Amino acid sequence: MGSKAGWLPVALLLAAVALSSVVSPPAAAAAAAESGEADHAVQQHSERISGSAGDVLEDNPVGKLKVYIYDLPRKYNKKMVTKDPRCLNHMFAAEIFMHRFLLSSAVRTLKPKEADWFYTPVYTTCDLTPAGLPLPFKSPRVMRSAIQYISNKWPFWNRTDGADHFFVVPHDFGSCFHYQEEKAIERGILPLLRRATLVQTFGQQNHVCLKEGSIIIPPFAPPQKMQTHLIPPDTPRSIFVYFRGLFYDTGNDPEGGYYARGARASLWENFKNNPLFDISTDHPATYYEDMQRAVFCLCPLGWAPWSPRLVEAVVFGCIPVIIADDIVLPFADAIPWEEIGVFVEEKDVPKLDTILTSMPIEDILRKQRLLANPSMKQAMLFPQPAQPRDAFHQILNGLARKLPHPEGVYLAPGEKHLNWTAGPVGDLKLW
């Protein structure tokens, strides 16, 4: 795909992007996102989100809700991290940092009777393979055990069957607790969580693993590590399209048509020899720097529709090209994804070169100005310590907007909605 005749317009486009005075300086913007300070240079080259989305993005949740944190035995959380500190660095680590953030947050209350929400700090992704990949197989038992503990020790779960509780479940398919979609669908959402609010990375319309009312969040990407790879803000964006990752997962999908629903395989087969596309399975030490040199960064689905590339692209000012049909994106009421990204249907991957080369330069530059907005970047990150408008605060804003709870949340005497014996037999074993 892609002819020599099409290279000249792209070369001119890259030159225009590099020379334009309105192109976002990614390094300064990312530094502002990490530090919480809006650098003057970033403000010059960024554009505020217009309308209600911009207001939502900059909301302050303090004073709008109170959260009670259950004090669980260490085996449910801190002991897991002590045993395997790698849990702090993988893309599911939001569950750990959300707990740490809430412990010192202004929204925390020590009086459960005045709480709007109850939070159970259970780490269901901190069971790693030798290669550092999270395993979901113990997660249902860990979660069931934690819920059993809070329901026996405190009265608050039982009065609502968990409807005023929230849980962070950042697995591939949320609380369906499996990394393969077919098996996740077969499992369904853990029955005990069906009245709770789920805070999860997985989002796909009309999917059994996405419960109505869930809050979709970005995956964890290490802010400090990203900052150490910032490059000078005037570096030209000389790469047109960039991607690093798998195209085939031969170990789990030897036939090649199931992984990424074939979209990644199509990327490789159509564009592996196209000079406009810098795509490879290699993951170089300059990965973050390369994203800051690219105009478009591909964000295709893998086993799940989301990936950390979405966070990395936004933080580094690279226009995300989202290839994942029916995806529900993080904080969609605050981040105008249609304005900052490019959406390509999975079936249209073979036409990707035409789609991107035909975009007007004015549209590209506006997307870059929006991406340069420090608030946009901050909303995608879980920095330590927390900063105003970061992902932690966006989660709290989402919870605050669900208040007050409807009357039906509280159960009548003897009323029950949950079946404690439902689900696969293996989930019922003690943990």
Side-chain angles (χ1 to χ4, degrees):
M1 285 286 182
S3 63
K4 291 185 178 180
W7 300 353
L8 180 59
V10 173
L12 294 173
L13 184 151
L14 286 170
V17 168
L19 294 173
S20 173
S21 62
V22 294
V23 172
S24 66
E34 170 62 17
S35 67
E37 299 176 359
D39 185 278
H40 178 64
V42 176
Q43 291 177 332
Q44 280 186 319
H45 298 290
S46 68
E47 181 175 328
R48 186 183 184 276
I49 306 158
S50 59
S52 60
D55 296 333
V56 170
L57 189 65
E58 296 174 7
D59 270 355
N60 183 356
V62 176
K64 298 179 181 178
L65 76 166
K66 293 182 178 181
V67 176
Y68 181 78
I69 305 172
Y70 287 119
D71 186 15
L72 298 187
R74 288 172 56 87
K75 72 172 186 175
Y76 291 105
N77 42 60
K78 296 176 183 178
K79 190 174 180 180
M80 294 182 178
V81 178
T82 301
K83 180 181 177 183
D84 195 341
R86 294 178 302 166
C87 297
L88 293 167
N89 299 312
H90 66 59
M91 61 185 173
F92 299 155
E95 63 180 1
I96 299 171
F97 292 111
M98 189 67 189
H99 181 201
R100 294 183 176 184
F101 161 71
L102 285 172
L103 287 172
S104 58
S105 171
V107 306
R108 183 185 182 186
T109 179
L110 301 178
K111 300 176 181 177
K113 290 185 179 179
E114 68 178 26
D116 300 298
W117 290 99
F118 293 83
Y119 168 64
T120 307
V122 53
Y123 303 167
T124 58
T125 68
C126 199
D127 180 24
L128 306 183
T129 68
L133 300 174
L135 291 170
F137 307 117
K138 294 180 184 176
S139 302
R141 291 163 54 206
V142 174
M143 182 66 79
R144 281 181 56 90
S145 177
I147 293 173
Q148 205 154 27
Y149 181 86
I150 64 171
S151 67
N152 289 334
K153 186 169 181 178
W154 291 275
F156 310 108
W157 174 274
N158 297 313
R159 70 183 185 180
T160 66
D161 269 354
D164 54 355
H165 290 54
F166 70 93
F167 294 82
V168 181
V169 283
H171 280 271
D172 290 285
F173 291 93
S175 63
C176 287
F177 293 130
H178 209 286
Y179 60 87
Q180 291 184 334
E181 184 173 22
E182 191 175 89
K183 293 180 180 177
I185 291 172
E186 183 181 325
R187 287 188 52 82
I189 291 172
L190 189 75
L192 292 185
L193 294 176
R194 286 180 179 162
R195 278 175 62 84
T197 289
L198 304 180
V199 178
Q200 61 185 56
T201 45
F202 172 74
Q204 184 174 318
Q205 297 171 21
N206 305 313
H207 198 286
V208 299
C209 297
L210 178 61
K211 179 178 173 292
E212 184 178 357
S214 297
I215 296 173
I216 308 303
I217 64 172
F220 178 79
Q224 288 84 355
K225 180 181 177 183
M226 296 170 83
Q227 183 162 357
T228 64
H229 288 267
L230 295 175
I231 62 177
D234 56 353
T235 303
R237 290 191 177 269
S238 55
I239 301 170
F240 190 58
V241 180
Y242 187 76
F243 175 79
R244 290 294 184 272
L246 289 178
F247 298 98
Y248 301 91
D249 187 345
T250 53
N252 293 295
D253 178 31
E255 299 293 324
Y258 185 61
Y259 176 63
R261 296 196 284 259
R264 292 197 187 197
S266 181
L267 278 172
W268 180 248
E269 297 304 329
N270 283 282
F271 303 113
K272 59 187 175 185
N273 296 318
N274 188 317
L276 302 179
F277 283 66
D278 188 346
I279 61 175
S280 171
T281 57
D282 296 334
H283 204 287
T286 57
Y287 173 69
Y288 284 155
E289 288 85 349
D290 292 344
M291 293 188 86
Q292 294 168 76
R293 296 186 182 99
V295 177
F296 296 103
C297 288
L298 302 183
C299 301
L301 74 163
W303 283 113
W306 58 271
S307 85
R309 291 177 189 83
L310 198 64
V311 178
E312 295 160 351
V314 171
V315 169
F316 290 132
C318 186
I319 298 169
V321 180
I322 299 160
I323 307 169
D325 294 354
D326 300 322
I327 190 173
V328 179
L329 289 159
F331 308 133
D333 55 349
I335 296 178
W337 290 104
E338 294 284 349
E339 295 183 52
I340 66 172
V342 177
F343 288 78
V344 176
E345 293 187 18
E346 293 162 27
K347 67 177 178 60
D348 290 335
V349 165
K351 299 186 285 187
L352 189 56
D353 55 347
T354 302
I355 292 169
L356 297 180
T357 56
S358 63
M359 281 189 64
I361 182 66
E362 294 81 8
D363 291 354
I364 293 173
L365 295 176
R366 182 168 188 271
K367 289 179 187 296
Q368 291 182 321
R369 288 196 302 271
L370 288 169
L371 284 167
N373 186 322
S375 294
M376 185 90 69
K377 300 174 185 296
Q378 194 77 324
M380 299 295 286
L381 295 171
F382 295 91
Q384 299 87 52
Q387 302 288 343
R389 301 183 299 277
D390 63 15
F392 300 117
H393 291 84
Q394 301 305 327
I395 293 170
L396 294 182
N397 282 333
L399 292 169
R401 286 192 287 272
K402 293 179 178 294
L403 298 174
H405 293 296
E407 291 182 11
V409 160
Y410 300 98
L411 305 180
E415 183 183 2
K416 292 291 177 186
H417 289 271
L418 301 180
N419 180 355
W420 284 76
T421 61
V425 174
D427 292 1
L428 308 183
K429 296 178 181 177
L430 294 178
W431 178 75

